[in-house]
Coordinates of all heavy atoms in Angstrom, one line a residue:
K1192 N -11.5 -9.8 3.1 CA -10.3 -9.8 2.1 C -9.7 -11.1 1.8 O -9.5 -11.5 0.7 CB -9.3 -8.8 2.6 CG -9.8 -7.4 2.8 CD -9.9 -6.7 1.5 CE -10.3 -5.3 1.6 NZ -10.8 -4.7 0.4
K1326 N -0.4 -4.6 8.7 CA -0.1 -3.3 9.4 C -1.2 -3.1 10.5 O -2.2 -3.7 10.5 CB -0.1 -2.2 8.3 CG -1.6 -1.7 7.9 CD -1.5 -0.5 7.0 CE -1.8 0.8 7.7 NZ -3.3 1.1 7.7
D1355 N 1.9 -4.3 2.7 CA 1.2 -3.0 2.5 C 0.4 -3.1 1.4 O 0.8 -3.4 0.2 CB 2.2 -1.8 2.2 CG 1.6 -0.5 2.0 OD1 0.6 -0.4 1.4 OD2 2.2 0.5 2.5
H1356 N -1.0 -3.2 1.5 CA -1.8 -3.6 0.5 C -1.7 -2.8 -0.8 O -2.1 -3.1 -1.9 CB -3.3 -3.9 0.9 CG -4.1 -2.6 1.1 ND1 -4.0 -1.8 2.1 CD2 -5.0 -2.0 0.2 CE1 -4.8 -0.7 2.0 NE2 -5.5 -0.8 0.8
Y1357 N -1.2 -1.5 -0.7 CA -1.1 -0.7 -1.9 C -0.2 -1.3 -2.9 O -0.3 -1.1 -4.1 CB -0.6 0.8 -1.4 CG -1.8 1.7 -1.4 CD1 -2.7 1.4 -0.4 CD2 -1.9 2.8 -2.2 CE1 -3.9 2.3 -0.4 CE2 -3.0 3.6 -2.0 CZ -4.0 3.3 -1.2 OH -5.1 4.1 -1.1
K1360 N -1.7 -3.4 -5.6 CA -2.6 -2.9 -6.5 C -1.9 -2.8 -7.9 O -0.7 -2.4 -8.0 CB -2.9 -1.4 -6.2 CG -3.8 -1.3 -4.9 CD -4.2 0.1 -4.6 CE -4.8 0.2 -3.2 NZ -6.3 0.1 -3.1
V1392 N -3.7 11.0 -2.0 CA -4.5 9.8 -1.6 C -5.7 10.4 -0.9 O -5.6 10.6 0.4 CB -3.7 8.8 -0.8 CG1 -4.5 7.5 -0.5 CG2 -2.4 8.4 -1.6
A1393 N -6.8 10.5 -1.6 CA -7.9 11.1 -0.9 C -9.1 10.1 -0.7 O -9.3 9.2 -1.5 CB -8.5 12.2 -1.9
E1394 N -9.8 10.2 0.4 CA -10.9 9.4 0.7 C -12.2 10.2 1.1 O -12.1 11.1 1.8 CB -10.6 8.5 1.9 CG -9.4 7.5 1.6 CD -9.2 6.6 2.7 OE1 -8.6 7.0 3.8 OE2 -9.6 5.4 2.7
L1396 N -14.7 8.7 2.7 CA -15.1 8.2 3.9 C -14.5 9.0 5.2 O -13.4 9.4 5.0 CB -14.8 6.8 4.1 CG -15.6 5.8 3.2 CD1 -15.0 4.4 3.4 CD2 -17.0 5.9 3.5
G1397 N -15.3 9.1 6.2 CA -14.7 9.6 7.5 C -14.2 8.4 8.2 O -14.0 7.3 7.6
R1401 N -14.2 3.3 13.1 CA -12.8 3.0 13.4 C -12.3 4.0 14.3 O -11.0 4.2 14.4 CB -12.0 2.8 12.2 CG -12.5 1.6 11.4 CD -11.8 1.6 10.0 NE -10.4 1.2 10.1 CZ -9.4 1.8 9.4 NH1 -9.7 2.8 8.6 NH2 -8.2 1.3 9.4
Y1404 N -9.5 3.0 16.8 CA -8.2 2.8 16.2 C -7.5 4.1 15.7 O -6.3 4.4 15.9 CB -8.4 1.8 14.9 CG -7.3 1.9 13.9 CD1 -6.0 1.3 14.0 CD2 -7.5 2.7 12.7 CE1 -5.1 1.5 13.0 CE2 -6.6 2.8 11.7 CZ -5.3 2.2 11.9 OH -4.4 2.3 11.0
Y1405 N -8.4 4.9 15.1 CA -7.8 6.1 14.4 C -7.3 7.1 15.5 O -6.3 7.9 15.2 CB -8.9 6.7 13.6 CG -8.4 7.5 12.5 CD1 -8.1 7.0 11.3 CD2 -8.2 8.9 12.6 CE1 -7.5 7.6 10.2 CE2 -7.7 9.7 11.5 CZ -7.3 9.1 10.4 OH -6.8 9.8 9.4
D1413 N -1.5 6.1 9.7 CA -2.6 5.2 9.0 C -2.3 5.2 7.6 O -2.3 4.1 6.9 CB -3.9 5.8 9.3 CG -5.0 4.8 8.7 OD1 -4.8 3.5 8.9 OD2 -5.9 5.3 8.0
M1414 N -1.8 6.3 7.0 CA -1.7 6.4 5.5 C -0.3 6.8 5.0 O 0.3 6.3 4.1 CB -2.7 7.4 4.9 CG -4.2 7.1 5.1 SD -4.6 5.5 4.4 CE -4.8 6.1 2.6
N1417 N 2.9 4.3 5.5 CA 3.0 3.1 4.6 C 2.6 3.5 3.2 O 3.5 3.6 2.4 CB 2.0 2.1 5.2 CG 0.9 2.7 5.9 OD1 0.0 3.2 5.3 ND2 0.9 2.7 7.2
H1418 N 1.3 3.6 2.9 CA 0.9 3.8 1.5 C 1.4 4.9 0.7 O 2.0 4.8 -0.3 CB -0.7 3.8 1.5 CG -1.4 2.8 2.3 ND1 -1.0 1.5 2.4 CD2 -2.6 2.9 3.0 CE1 -1.8 0.9 3.2 NE2 -2.8 1.7 3.6
K1518 N -9.3 12.2 5.1 CA -10.6 11.5 5.2 C -11.6 12.6 5.0 O -11.4 13.9 5.3 CB -10.9 10.9 6.5 CG -9.8 9.9 7.0 CD -10.3 8.4 6.7 CE -9.3 7.4 7.1 NZ -9.4 6.2 6.3
S1525 N -6.8 8.2 -5.7 CA -5.4 8.3 -5.5 C -4.8 8.5 -6.8 O -4.9 7.8 -7.8 CB -4.8 6.9 -5.0 OG -5.5 6.6 -3.8
Q1557 N -6.4 4.9 -8.6 CA -7.7 4.4 -8.3 C -8.7 5.4 -8.0 O -8.2 6.5 -7.6 CB -7.7 3.4 -7.1 CG -7.3 4.1 -5.8 CD -7.3 3.2 -4.5 OE1 -7.2 2.1 -4.6 NE2 -7.5 3.8 -3.4
A1597 N -6.1 -6.4 -4.3 CA -4.6 -6.4 -4.0 C -4.3 -7.6 -3.2 O -3.2 -8.3 -3.4 CB -4.4 -5.1 -3.1
Ligands
LIG496 C1 -5.9 1.3 5.1 C2 -6.2 2.4 6.1 O1 -4.6 0.9 5.2 O2 -6.0 1.8 3.8 C3 -7.6 3.0 5.9 O3 -6.1 1.9 7.5 C4 -7.8 3.4 4.5 O4 -7.8 4.0 6.8 C5 -7.4 2.3 3.5 O5 -9.2 3.7 4.4 C6 -7.4 2.8 2.1 O6 -7.2 1.7 1.2 P1 -7.8 1.8 -0.2 O7 -7.3 0.5 -0.8 O8 -9.4 1.8 -0.1 O9 -7.3 3.0 -0.9

Side-chain angles (χ1 to χ4, degrees):
K1192 299 285 183 193
K1326 79 175 254 271
D1355 181 319
H1356 79 279
Y1357 265 58
K1360 292 180 192 275
V1392 178
E1394 294 185 284
L1396 288 176
R1401 296 171 73 220
Y1404 156 78
Y1405 207 82
D1413 186 45
M1414 298 295 284
N1417 34 73
H1418 312 322
K1518 302 260 185 215
S1525 302
Q1557 63 180 22

